[in-house]
DNA sequence: ATAATAGTGTCTATTAGACAATATCCT
DNA sequence: AGGATATTGTCTAATAGACACTATTAT
């Protein structure tokens, strides 16, 4: 929106003082997903402070809001900053997108907190470096399965569920699967990702046919080499982009 | 999340005082859509105050945040309240759902405002009563076409575009079309809604076949009477729910 | 040689789309 | 009777799923 404010409007803005109606705190929370040991995993951090001290929660933090002309950081920037801070991962190498905004009154007992949730997909070859960043005991990749028996802080379970449902939906009609697989991959490996995320077997033949259409569309291309497996080696491909 | 805080945590909460880091204002903005005169229309209101005084903007307002134990209203509640206040429409009779959260720094020149945008679909038979609520000159249904030449306040054009793109997408795989049509409708009427929203003609025969599957699935049912038209009258149906 | 799985082929059912043909009502 | 459009029918192409079959490698 590029426009030139009128003189009158400029004057208004000069003398404008925000009313002190109570304002909520605004946070970004991240659902950082990857695949480790054939399981979908979400990164959780152990809370150091009340409330839910010692409990597991999604990584996140408050959005930086400046004062005066400096209004602070964009929401996306806050999400990317948190990703970097909490995992050490380069936000440019990770798919990160806004998920949904959770703002139920009382979701944080301290005060009114509105949380803009983001989902991030981390390629499994990048996931191991995450631990290196912080104290191992303070962050861990929880499998979705184990989450069923794990209590989460705040409404973070609901946020995780929303994220999974979103990712499962997008798997059908988008290319996000390529963000859950190393830079080069075989068709069976990609198929496993689908099977793991959707939690159902995919027919190898039918999957390959779908995949071949992507090849024809130029979305992916062959990469050099073959992947050695316990049986017949598989052709290696790579996604075109990045 | 139902849980019993420990005594220590209770003590923590008792003495907790929110830090006075600057906080953003949080608003809900509504993209209220309907169909009038065979055009998709969005409800805009004329701004009474700076900035953008006299300009057209999406209806909306700040989320009510309490202080202390009273944390105020949920985001959905705020959206429903604004809908009622700005249009007089019963939120229970209107499809309303969260769209996306816009929080770019500088999007409001006064101060940092994070806007949780909602989309609402108003059945065309309910749309006329909207005017009655407020001053006619202060609110109007703008056709999408006319919006191209109409400047909007803040980043509201981006919000409207996001809403339209969302609605167009959902038209393909959900039942939202029934929220853009009167309680009873004919197949051609429903087809016109698709054609208007997607901005392309729909083949009458093919559309009917898709529609017949909904009939078989029990999503819709025949309603009494026939719709008299300029030519052959059409069978009347109704959506099963509400 | 055998196990395992990569990769191909075939058949069926479903759905979208183009388009022709018929039915029914208003004027 | 004629115009308009609701409604039905037909054909083709694209896609998904079930499943049989062949190919190639490690062991």
């Amino acid at each position: 929106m590029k426009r030139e404010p009128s003189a009158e409007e400029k004057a208004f803005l000069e003398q404008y003082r925000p009313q002190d109606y109570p304002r909520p705190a605004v946070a970004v929370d991240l659902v950082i997903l990857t695949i480790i040991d054939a399981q979908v995993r979400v990164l959780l951090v152990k809370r150091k402070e009340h409330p839910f001290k010692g409990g597991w929660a999604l990584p996140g933090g408050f959005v930086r809001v400046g004062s005066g002309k400096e209004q602070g950081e964009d929401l996306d920037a806050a999400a990317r900053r948190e990703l970097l801070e909490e995992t050490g991962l380069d936000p440019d190498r990770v798919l990160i997108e806004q998920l949904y905004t959770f703002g139920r009154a009382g979701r944080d007992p301290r005060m009114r907190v509105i949380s803009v949730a983001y989902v991030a997909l981390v390629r499994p070859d990048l996931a191991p470096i995450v631990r290196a960043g912080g104290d191992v005991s303070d962050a861990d990749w929880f499998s979705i399965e184990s989450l069923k028996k794990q209590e989460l802080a705040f409404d973070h379970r609901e946020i995780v569920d929303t994220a999974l449902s979103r990712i499962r939906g997008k798997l059908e009609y988008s290319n996000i699967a390529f963000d859950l697989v190393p830079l080069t991959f075989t068709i069976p490996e990609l198929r496993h990702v689908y099977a793991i995320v959707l939690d159902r077997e995919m027919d190898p033949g039918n999957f390959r046919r779908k995949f071949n259409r992507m090849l024809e569309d130029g979305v992916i291309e062959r990469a050099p080499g073959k992947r050695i497996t316990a049986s017949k080696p598989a052709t290696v491909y790579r996604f075109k982009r990045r």
Side-chain angles (χ1 to χ4, degrees), chain A residues 12-55:
Chain A
F12 168 87
L13 290 174
E14 286 300 327
Q15 60 81 56
Y16 181 83
R17 295 291 173 271
Q19 312 89 329
D20 42 12
Y21 290 128
R23 295 179 176 193
V26 174
V28 293
D29 284 319
L30 306 184
V31 183
I32 308 175
L33 299 174
T34 194
I35 293 182
I36 300 173
D37 295 339
Q39 289 183 306
V40 179
R41 308 240 176 180
V42 56
L43 186 72
L44 297 181
V45 297
K46 193 176 278 183
R47 286 188 56 79
K48 295 190 181 63
E49 300 298 339
H50 285 301
F52 299 95
K53 183 175 180 178

Side-chain angles (χ1 to χ4, degrees), chain A residues 174-191:
Chain A
S174 78
N175 286 332
I176 53 164
F178 296 117
D179 291 284
L180 284 175
V181 107
L183 281 185
T184 65
F185 52 88
T186 67
I187 305 189
E189 284 165 2
L190 191 65
R191 173 164 52 87

Side-chain angles (χ1 to χ4, degrees), chain A residues 29-223:
Chain A
D29 284 319
L30 306 184
V31 183
I32 308 175
L33 299 174
T34 194
I35 293 182
I36 300 173
D37 295 339
Q39 289 183 306
V40 179
R41 308 240 176 180
V42 56
L43 186 72
L44 297 181
V45 297
K46 193 176 278 183
R47 286 188 56 79
K48 295 190 181 63
E49 300 298 339
H50 285 301
F52 299 95
K53 183 175 180 178
W56 292 95
L58 293 172
F62 292 106
V63 176
R64 286 182 185 161
V65 174
S67 41
K69 301 242 167 174
E70 273 318 309
Q71 291 197 349
E73 63 189 350
D74 290 355
L75 291 177
D76 288 357
R80 294 161 60 88
R81 174 178 57 74
E82 288 292 342
L83 179 72
L84 181 62
E85 287 178 8
E86 305 256 9
T87 68
L89 288 169
D90 176 1
D92 289 330
R93 299 169 68 84
V94 170
L95 176 77
I96 181 164
E97 62 177 40
Q98 192 185 304
L99 172 66
Y100 194 83
T101 297
F102 297 81
R104 188 170 49 75
R107 59 182 290 282
D108 188 318
R110 290 170 295 178
M111 55 187 173
R112 183 67 186 270
V113 179
I114 288 170
S115 167
V116 183
Y118 279 75
V119 204
L121 298 187
V122 176
R123 297 202 323 256
D125 55 312
L126 299 179
I129 71 176
V130 168
R131 292 283 194 97
D135 186 337
V136 175
S137 68
D138 283 355
D140 206 356
W141 291 106
F142 282 68
S143 76
I144 299 306
E145 188 59 35
S146 72
L147 269 197
K148 290 177 185 167
K149 312 171 208 99
Q150 175 63 52
E151 197 160 334
L152 294 195
F154 308 108
D155 54 358
H156 287 187
R157 177 178 307 279
E158 182 186 357
I159 300 181
V160 171
D161 289 344
T162 304
L164 287 172
S165 143
R166 167 81 63 93
I167 292 305
R168 287 185 180 125
K170 287 195 79 165
L171 210 56
E172 313 272 12
Y173 65 88
S174 78
N175 286 332
I176 53 164
F178 296 117
D179 291 284
L180 284 175
V181 107
L183 281 185
T184 65
F185 52 88
T186 67
I187 305 189
E189 284 165 2
L190 191 65
R191 173 164 52 87
H192 285 313
V193 167
Y194 275 76
I196 290 165
V197 175
L198 300 179
D199 196 27
R200 61 182 162 89
E201 288 307 312
M202 309 290 288
D203 180 272
N206 296 334
F207 187 87
R208 173 171 299 272
R209 202 150 15 97
K210 180 150 112 184
F211 183 86
N212 279 337
R213 279 191 289 271
M214 292 193 205
L215 243 186
E216 287 157 17
D217 295 349
V219 181
I220 52 188
E221 62 188 358
R222 293 194 60 149

